[in-house]
Amino acid sequence: AGVVLVSSCRNARPIPWFQGWFGRMVSRLPLGAVEFLKHHLPPKAYHRLGDLAPEHATLVRRMFLDTPTAMLRWAPGAMVHWTGRPASSMNGVRVRHIHGDRDALLLSARVEPDQWIRGAGHAMSMTHAEEVNAFIRQCVSEIAQSNA
């Protein structure tokens, strides 16, 4: 068995302090206020995802708007309070990790992935799909071989 982390992390350490502060604030807001923010977030707010092509920026905005408001209120606070799990408690489940070296949401300086994607931000599954998919294929192949 295995887990592949893409633009993710093993605990809350890579989350910048200001995102942590924002996450705590958002998780305390009434749903109506989060709904308002959801529909009035300026396009510039998405810059932390990396350099997105116009079609990717449109898709990200659509995904954000389609996300249930309750989820948008819960997720930032949950990320900040997440402690993760030490490798020793994974019961033999191998965790593999791929990360962009320009990720501004989960700071690259605070993660230790198995593989870096040069020039990739947080949305690397869109902007660097070939490299991400190749890594996932490699991980699946390794898991299949170890289970054979």
Side-chain angles (χ1 to χ4, degrees), residues 11-33:
N11 55 48
R13 187 174 168 268
I15 299 171
W17 71 268
F18 53 87
Q19 271 176 228
W21 176 84
F22 183 75
R24 287 193 248 334
M25 294 292 292
V26 169
S27 67
R28 294 181 177 118
L29 291 174
L31 280 177

Side-chain angles (χ1 to χ4, degrees), residues 19 49 70 75 81 118:
Q19 271 176 228
L49 295 174
H81 297 293
R118 287 190 179 277

Side-chain angles (χ1 to χ4, degrees), residues 9-94:
C9 53
R10 297 171 194 250
N11 55 48
R13 187 174 168 268
I15 299 171
W17 71 268
F18 53 87
Q19 271 176 228
W21 176 84
F22 183 75
R24 287 193 248 334
M25 294 292 292
V26 169
S27 67
R28 294 181 177 118
L29 291 174
L31 280 177
V34 178
E35 182 72 22
F36 177 84
L37 289 172
K38 174 178 167 177
H39 290 282
H40 294 87
L41 195 64
K44 186 148 180 94
Y46 299 103
H47 80 280
R48 298 192 60 75
L49 295 174
D51 294 328
L52 299 178
E55 64 271 15
H56 292 147
T58 299
L59 176 61
V60 166
R61 176 141 174 82
R62 182 80 254 146
M63 289 167 52
F64 184 74
L65 290 172
D66 288 346
T67 301
T69 303
M71 175 73 171
L72 292 175
R73 181 174 68 176
W74 169 82
M79 285 176 29
V80 170
H81 297 293
W82 178 48
T83 58
R85 291 182 66 179
S88 61
S89 71
M90 293 300 291
N91 297 326
V93 174
R94 184 165 181 210

